[in-house]
Short mmCIF file of all heavy atoms in Angstrom, two decimals:
data_model
loop_
_atom_site.label_atom_id
_atom_site.label_comp_id
_atom_site.label_asym_id
_atom_site.label_seq_id
_atom_site.Cartn_x
_atom_site.Cartn_y
_atom_site.Cartn_z
N ALA B 1138 13.20 75.74 -0.64
CA ALA B 1138 13.88 74.85 -1.58
C ALA B 1138 13.06 74.64 -2.86
O ALA B 1138 13.50 73.96 -3.79
CB ALA B 1138 14.17 73.50 -0.92
N GLY B 1139 11.86 75.23 -2.90
CA GLY B 1139 11.03 75.08 -4.09
C GLY B 1139 10.42 73.70 -4.23
O GLY B 1139 10.00 73.29 -5.31
N LYS B 1140 10.34 72.95 -3.12
CA LYS B 1140 9.82 71.58 -3.17
C LYS B 1140 8.35 71.50 -2.79
O LYS B 1140 7.76 70.41 -2.76
CB LYS B 1140 10.65 70.68 -2.24
CG LYS B 1140 12.10 70.54 -2.65
CD LYS B 1140 12.27 69.71 -3.92
CE LYS B 1140 13.74 69.41 -4.20
NZ LYS B 1140 13.89 68.61 -5.44
N VAL B 1141 7.74 72.62 -2.47
CA VAL B 1141 6.29 72.67 -2.27
C VAL B 1141 5.83 74.07 -2.69
O VAL B 1141 6.59 75.03 -2.56
CB VAL B 1141 5.92 72.37 -0.79
CG1 VAL B 1141 6.35 73.49 0.14
CG2 VAL B 1141 4.42 72.08 -0.63
N LYS B 1142 4.62 74.14 -3.24
CA LYS B 1142 4.13 75.44 -3.73
C LYS B 1142 3.27 76.08 -2.66
O LYS B 1142 2.13 75.66 -2.40
CB LYS B 1142 3.30 75.25 -5.00
CG LYS B 1142 4.16 74.94 -6.21
CD LYS B 1142 3.33 75.04 -7.49
CE LYS B 1142 4.13 74.48 -8.67
NZ LYS B 1142 3.27 73.77 -9.62
N ALA B 1143 3.79 77.14 -2.07
CA ALA B 1143 3.12 77.77 -0.94
C ALA B 1143 1.87 78.54 -1.36
O ALA B 1143 1.08 78.95 -0.52
CB ALA B 1143 4.08 78.71 -0.22
N ASP B 1144 1.71 78.74 -2.66
CA ASP B 1144 0.53 79.47 -3.14
C ASP B 1144 -0.32 78.61 -4.07
O ASP B 1144 -1.11 79.12 -4.86
CB ASP B 1144 0.95 80.76 -3.84
CG ASP B 1144 1.84 80.47 -5.04
OD1 ASP B 1144 2.27 79.30 -5.20
OD2 ASP B 1144 2.12 81.41 -5.81
N ALA B 1145 -0.15 77.30 -3.96
CA ALA B 1145 -0.93 76.41 -4.84
C ALA B 1145 -2.42 76.55 -4.54
O ALA B 1145 -2.82 76.78 -3.41
CB ALA B 1145 -0.49 74.97 -4.62
N VAL B 1146 -3.22 76.37 -5.59
CA VAL B 1146 -4.66 76.40 -5.43
C VAL B 1146 -5.19 74.98 -5.67
O VAL B 1146 -5.18 74.50 -6.80
CB VAL B 1146 -5.31 77.38 -6.45
CG1 VAL B 1146 -6.83 77.40 -6.26
CG2 VAL B 1146 -4.72 78.77 -6.28
N PRO B 1147 -5.61 74.30 -4.62
CA PRO B 1147 -6.10 72.93 -4.82
C PRO B 1147 -7.36 72.93 -5.68
O PRO B 1147 -8.16 73.87 -5.62
CB PRO B 1147 -6.40 72.44 -3.40
CG PRO B 1147 -6.48 73.65 -2.55
CD PRO B 1147 -5.67 74.72 -3.21
N GLU B 1148 -7.48 71.88 -6.48
CA GLU B 1148 -8.59 71.83 -7.43
C GLU B 1148 -9.42 70.56 -7.19
O GLU B 1148 -8.90 69.45 -7.18
CB GLU B 1148 -8.01 71.81 -8.84
CG GLU B 1148 -9.05 71.90 -9.93
CD GLU B 1148 -8.49 71.45 -11.29
OE1 GLU B 1148 -7.26 71.16 -11.37
OE2 GLU B 1148 -9.28 71.39 -12.26
N LEU B 1149 -10.73 70.76 -7.02
CA LEU B 1149 -11.64 69.64 -6.78
C LEU B 1149 -12.08 69.03 -8.10
O LEU B 1149 -12.55 69.72 -9.00
CB LEU B 1149 -12.87 70.15 -6.00
CG LEU B 1149 -13.97 69.11 -5.71
CD1 LEU B 1149 -13.48 68.05 -4.73
CD2 LEU B 1149 -15.21 69.81 -5.15
N VAL B 1150 -11.93 67.71 -8.21
CA VAL B 1150 -12.43 66.95 -9.36
C VAL B 1150 -13.48 66.00 -8.79
O VAL B 1150 -13.17 64.91 -8.32
CB VAL B 1150 -11.29 66.14 -10.03
CG1 VAL B 1150 -11.78 65.49 -11.31
CG2 VAL B 1150 -10.07 67.01 -10.28
N PRO B 1151 -14.75 66.42 -8.80
CA PRO B 1151 -15.73 65.67 -8.00
C PRO B 1151 -16.15 64.34 -8.61
O PRO B 1151 -16.79 63.54 -7.92
CB PRO B 1151 -16.92 66.64 -7.92
CG PRO B 1151 -16.78 67.55 -9.08
CD PRO B 1151 -15.31 67.65 -9.38
N ASN B 1152 -15.79 64.05 -9.85
CA ASN B 1152 -16.19 62.78 -10.48
C ASN B 1152 -17.65 62.46 -10.25
O ASN B 1152 -17.98 61.50 -9.55
CB ASN B 1152 -15.32 61.63 -9.95
CG ASN B 1152 -13.89 61.71 -10.43
OD1 ASN B 1152 -13.61 62.33 -11.45
ND2 ASN B 1152 -12.97 61.10 -9.70
N PRO B 1153 -18.55 63.24 -10.83
CA PRO B 1153 -19.98 63.09 -10.52
C PRO B 1153 -20.46 61.64 -10.65
O PRO B 1153 -20.11 60.94 -11.60
CB PRO B 1153 -20.65 63.98 -11.57
CG PRO B 1153 -19.62 64.98 -11.95
CD PRO B 1153 -18.30 64.27 -11.83
N GLY B 1154 -21.24 61.22 -9.68
CA GLY B 1154 -21.84 59.88 -9.71
C GLY B 1154 -20.93 58.78 -9.22
O GLY B 1154 -21.35 57.64 -9.07
N LYS B 1155 -19.67 59.10 -8.99
CA LYS B 1155 -18.72 58.08 -8.55
C LYS B 1155 -18.54 58.13 -7.03
O LYS B 1155 -18.82 59.14 -6.39
CB LYS B 1155 -17.35 58.31 -9.21
CG LYS B 1155 -17.38 58.33 -10.73
CD LYS B 1155 -17.38 56.93 -11.30
CE LYS B 1155 -17.28 56.97 -12.82
NZ LYS B 1155 -17.60 55.68 -13.43
N ALA B 1156 -18.00 57.05 -6.50
CA ALA B 1156 -17.66 57.01 -5.08
C ALA B 1156 -16.26 57.57 -4.84
O ALA B 1156 -15.78 57.56 -3.71
CB ALA B 1156 -17.75 55.58 -4.55
N VAL B 1157 -15.62 58.04 -5.89
CA VAL B 1157 -14.25 58.54 -5.79
C VAL B 1157 -14.22 60.03 -6.10
O VAL B 1157 -14.56 60.45 -7.20
CB VAL B 1157 -13.32 57.80 -6.76
CG1 VAL B 1157 -11.89 58.32 -6.64
CG2 VAL B 1157 -13.37 56.30 -6.51
N VAL B 1158 -13.83 60.82 -5.13
CA VAL B 1158 -13.66 62.26 -5.27
C VAL B 1158 -12.17 62.53 -5.31
O VAL B 1158 -11.41 61.88 -4.58
CB VAL B 1158 -14.28 62.98 -4.05
CG1 VAL B 1158 -14.06 64.47 -4.11
CG2 VAL B 1158 -15.75 62.63 -3.90
N ARG B 1159 -11.75 63.45 -6.16
CA ARG B 1159 -10.31 63.73 -6.24
C ARG B 1159 -10.05 65.21 -5.97
O ARG B 1159 -10.83 66.06 -6.38
CB ARG B 1159 -9.79 63.38 -7.64
CG ARG B 1159 -8.30 63.64 -7.83
CD ARG B 1159 -7.86 63.42 -9.28
NE ARG B 1159 -8.22 62.11 -9.79
CZ ARG B 1159 -7.63 60.98 -9.43
NH1 ARG B 1159 -6.66 60.97 -8.55
NH2 ARG B 1159 -8.01 59.84 -9.96
N VAL B 1160 -8.98 65.49 -5.25
CA VAL B 1160 -8.50 66.87 -5.18
C VAL B 1160 -7.05 66.86 -5.62
O VAL B 1160 -6.22 66.13 -5.07
CB VAL B 1160 -8.61 67.47 -3.76
CG1 VAL B 1160 -7.94 68.84 -3.73
CG2 VAL B 1160 -10.06 67.61 -3.35
N ASN B 1161 -6.77 67.66 -6.62
CA ASN B 1161 -5.39 67.85 -7.01
C ASN B 1161 -4.83 69.01 -6.20
O ASN B 1161 -5.30 70.14 -6.33
CB ASN B 1161 -5.27 68.11 -8.51
CG ASN B 1161 -3.84 67.90 -8.95
OD1 ASN B 1161 -2.91 68.41 -8.33
ND2 ASN B 1161 -3.66 67.12 -10.01
N ALA B 1162 -3.87 68.70 -5.35
CA ALA B 1162 -3.30 69.72 -4.47
C ALA B 1162 -2.39 70.68 -5.22
O ALA B 1162 -1.97 71.70 -4.66
CB ALA B 1162 -2.55 69.07 -3.32
#
Side-chain angles (χ1 to χ4, degrees):
Chain B
K1140 296 289 189 181
V1141 69
K1142 286 191 190 144
D1144 60 351
V1146 180
E1148 186 198 356
L1149 178 67
V1150 187
N1152 290 337
K1155 303 279 185 194
V1157 180
V1158 176
R1159 180 186 306 287
V1160 173
N1161 197 311

